[in-house]
Amino acid sequence: LIYSCRKPKTKRAKRFLEKREPKLKENTKNAMLIKGGNANLTVTEVLKDIYAVKKPFAVLYKKKNITRPFEDQTSLEFFSKKSDCSLFLFGSHNKKRPNNLIIGRMFDYHVLDMIELGVEKFVSLKDVKNSKCPEGTKPMLIFAGDMFDVNEEYRRLKSLLIDFFRGPSVPSIRLAGLEYVLHFTALDGKIYMRSYKVLLKKSGCKIPRIELEEMGPSLDLVMRRTHLASDDLYKLSLKQPKALKPKKKKNISHDVFGTTYGRIHMQKQDLSKLQTRKVKGLKKRPAEKSAESGGVSPKKSKSG
Amino acid sequence: MAAVRVEEVLAAAEGQEAEKRRSITVEKELELEFDLGNLLALDRNPPASAGLRGDVPRREALLRALARDNTQLLVAQLWELPAERAGGAGGPLVARLPEPAFRLPREKPPPRPRPPTRWEQEWRRRWGYRRAGGDPARAWLAEVPEGADPEEDQFARLRREKRERVARNELNRLRNLARAHRASTTVPAAPLHPTGHQSREELGHVARVARVSTASLGRFQPRLPKEPAEPPSRNGGKKRRFEPLLGNLAAERSRQLELLRDMGSKKPVLDITRAVNKQLRQEEAEAAAAKGKKQSKRGKRGRRQQRVGRSSKRGGARR
């Protein structure tokens, strides 16, 4: 329980606190979308569109909050604790950093990573006059470009974006419902984020042919400042409890081709005392009997 | 002739297949990395920078083509997964996703193991495998305590003490049984709950008991209009009555003379015949009560019958 000094007095309060306490298998991460002291129209529109994409796992705060995340993180942490959100997107605008978006995540209600991105071009959901996909669709995520592997900051950004847009973790998915794809391309110091609606067309075989239709928010981003967590803090946050590891069954092994091997332990058998009279395959057939006694057996097998 | 025709047909069919496959194949320099648990695909190929640096519509078209190719590859991978029809034959085709492979940081630190409760810590098995208990057979080490005789056999001492503990426990158990039996066979006193058959005195007694069972022993209980006020008897009932030292000389004299007479007489104070008769009568009453209880347990009638028996404390040696 977070507030260990305040023990819950009702069952409802207890359930509320249990939902927020650390668990083996965690809840889907919620995102909070906050406006800064001087957020302009572009940034507000961006926040509203991202909210539409991330519903219901996001909260959009309507009022402006005068804070500077890179200087003081306490107010962000307070919001995170109150609304139980571990991802945030903070939008602001000033002359030095126009159309600023700070995307970040928390670990244990403290800021883990923060990356400041500038929005150079923005096309909103409203501007693209195509049909949209239903709310809450799990998107397919594609990252193109070698920068996402080479550069450390880009790597963290990739991890952050996956965390942000991933949605709930599901065991199975309806194949016809794969409608939404978010495509990120890193090129020339810019990151192009595009969202497409997926149309599955008939091809001759089982796998359908994909056609894409532009839909949804598209952003051209530029990386500005970053505030990344130290290596050991990041490693600590990645640590998974041992109980989540799949339990290994003893005595069973798999080989490369997928065959399962097991080991059977038998007691030592005295082969001279094996019961062979009841095994039909070991019984002598009349043909063999006559062959033993002498003469050629008429039932010799033909070769070829 | 027929053979040639068949081969032609086969070749044509293969050609068609190739056509179909072309629509879904994508050529890439480097293979993509897939994490199907997250519906994620990572393309490490450097994008064609020439086209993407050009004007905006061309760039959009190129981005879209790149996206289409990558999505095609991802979807091909997803379609390879083991799929089943959810909800019977007509339901939608559902693919079983593997566990997400891409390691993402947790939201909160993993839960700390709760400290065991006091019961969990102190519980010891009372019977069976590895039970708690001073089993002297399992004691492989017996320390000589400080003040003890060094020649004494500690193991024998443990065994003796265990025997003594068992015996004491058994004795206490039997005593408890006897007490419970005695309590169950005594004739019950006047009941405090209302039955239909209580006399006036009994009801008065019950009312008095109810009054006195408050915290202030009935001193502030409201009384009915005509109920006489009963002051707390200074005498204290029968047993807590103490006569004044210098009071009734005649009574004192008669009491002392009676005492001397009893001490001097040869006749025993305890009349044996009377005592035996009384004991016999008590035993008969007990047996009857036990039988009656058994019969009355079966029906409601048992409750109705009240045995207003004489208390066994009375009687005895009457002078």
Side-chain angles (χ1 to χ4, degrees), chain A residues 138-141 162 166 169, chain B residues 35-40 100-102 104:
Chain A
K138 191 167 158 89
M140 293 189 275
L141 300 163
I162 295 174
R166 171 163 83 132
S169 234
Chain B
D35 177 10
L36 297 174
N38 280 324
L39 299 181
L40 176 67
F102 196 85
L104 289 165

Side-chain angles (χ1 to χ4, degrees), chain B residues 78-156:
Chain B
L78 283 168
W79 246 256
E80 299 288 319
L81 286 174
E84 60 203 11
R85 290 236 160 236
L93 195 60
V94 165
R96 184 82 54 85
L97 289 177
E99 290 284 322
F102 196 85
R103 277 183 82 190
L104 289 165
R106 278 176 67 101
E107 192 179 35
K108 293 167 190 145
R112 259 171 288 146
R114 280 179 310 136
T117 59
R118 193 166 141 204
W119 182 82
E120 279 170 357
Q121 278 175 330
E122 291 178 357
W123 176 77
R124 310 281 219 77
R125 215 188 283 254
R126 279 280 138 215
W127 180 90
Y129 177 67
R130 281 198 180 199
R131 63 177 147 158
D135 189 1
R138 258 189 294 170
W140 50 271
L141 180 74
E143 269 187 32
V144 179
E146 268 191 40
D149 177 23
E151 304 288 323
E152 192 193 347
D153 184 2
Q154 296 301 320
F155 296 106

Side-chain angles (χ1 to χ4, degrees), chain A residues 25-283:
Chain A
K25 187 164 191 300
E26 291 191 316
N27 308 332
T28 315
K29 288 191 185 182
N30 280 333
M32 49 187 185
L33 309 166
I34 314 175
K35 288 203 280 189
N38 44 6
N40 61 355
L41 189 65
T42 321
V43 153
T44 324
E45 289 291 308
V46 170
L47 289 174
K48 279 214 282 213
D49 279 359
I50 303 281
Y51 175 64
V53 168
K54 271 235 38 152
K55 270 206 265 195
F57 297 104
V59 262
L60 176 67
Y61 286 120
K62 292 201 178 140
K63 294 240 175 107
K64 293 192 180 175
N65 296 290
I66 305 174
T67 37
R68 297 206 175 106
F70 271 87
E71 274 106 56
D72 176 33
Q73 284 130 30
T74 45
S75 102
L76 274 179
E77 290 174 2
F78 173 74
F79 279 134
S80 152
K81 209 180 267 201
K82 278 291 171 181
S83 60
D84 192 32
C85 292
S86 50
L87 302 164
F88 66 87
L89 191 60
F90 182 88
S92 66
H93 172 85
N94 53 21
K95 209 151 144 199
K96 191 168 173 199
R97 289 177 237 276
N99 297 331
N100 208 16
L101 276 180
I102 302 178
I103 186 169
R105 63 184 156 199
M106 309 271 200
F107 177 67
D108 198 16
Y109 304 118
H110 295 294
V111 168
L112 183 67
D113 288 335
M114 268 197 302
I115 298 181
E116 195 175 51
L117 303 161
V119 179
E120 300 213 324
K121 192 174 83 105
F122 172 60
V123 179
S124 149
L125 272 169
K126 298 196 292 270
D127 297 336
V128 179
K129 306 266 189 280
N130 283 337
S131 63
K132 313 279 189 246
C133 64
E135 191 180 280
T137 322
K138 191 167 158 89
M140 293 189 275
L141 300 163
I142 304 179
F143 288 80
D146 48 350
M147 282 290 269
F148 278 124
D149 281 310
V150 165
N151 194 330
E152 175 63 39
E153 293 185 342
Y154 274 75
R155 258 201 300 236
R156 284 291 181 91
L157 177 64
K158 179 176 78 173
S159 160
L160 236 181
L161 289 169
I162 295 174
D163 220 351
F164 206 90
F165 289 109
R166 171 163 83 132
S169 234
V170 285
S172 52
I173 193 160
R174 192 173 75 104
L175 288 172
L178 292 166
E179 287 176 329
Y180 193 40
V181 65
L182 286 168
H183 191 269
F184 298 87
T185 320
L187 178 70
D188 280 348
K190 284 206 200 176
I191 300 153
Y192 300 99
M193 174 181 144
R194 301 282 181 270
S195 331
Y196 301 103
K197 185 170 151 87
V198 174
L199 303 163
L200 304 160
K201 295 268 163 54
K202 260 200 183 46
S203 73
C205 30
K206 198 172 59 144
I207 302 168
R209 182 175 162 81
I210 300 290
E211 293 293 333
L212 295 180
E213 205 184 293
E214 175 97 28
M215 167 203 110
S218 77
L219 295 161
D220 288 1
L221 303 163
V222 164
M223 183 120 78
R224 289 181 187 157
R225 296 182 287 180
T226 59
H227 172 98
L228 302 178
S230 59
D231 270 339
D232 38 330
L233 180 59
Y234 194 64
K235 274 213 184 95
L236 184 68
S237 67
L238 283 174
K239 212 167 168 194
Q240 300 286 349
K242 264 199 211 152
L244 276 180
K245 268 199 292 192
K247 256 200 167 157
K248 190 175 178 223
K249 249 190 152 174
K250 273 191 184 173
N251 231 8
I252 296 178
S253 57
H254 302 265
D255 74 348
V256 181
F257 301 104
T259 321
T260 314
Y261 291 99
R263 226 191 155 90
I264 307 175
H265 297 270
M266 292 274 304
Q267 289 166 334
K268 198 163 173 138
Q269 286 179 307
D270 189 3
L271 292 168
S272 61
K273 292 208 171 61
L274 270 181
Q275 172 69 279
T276 53
R277 280 168 60 197
K278 294 191 176 168
V279 184
K280 264 200 181 159
L282 298 175
K283 280 212 165 82

Side-chain angles (χ1 to χ4, degrees), chain B residues 28 49 56 73 80 115 128 233 238 240 245 261 319:
Chain B
K28 283 274 184 185
S49 45
V56 175
L73 288 166
E80 299 288 319
S233 52
K238 192 179 174 186
R240 293 190 211 320
L245 284 175
R261 191 188 47 172
R319 284 165 212 185

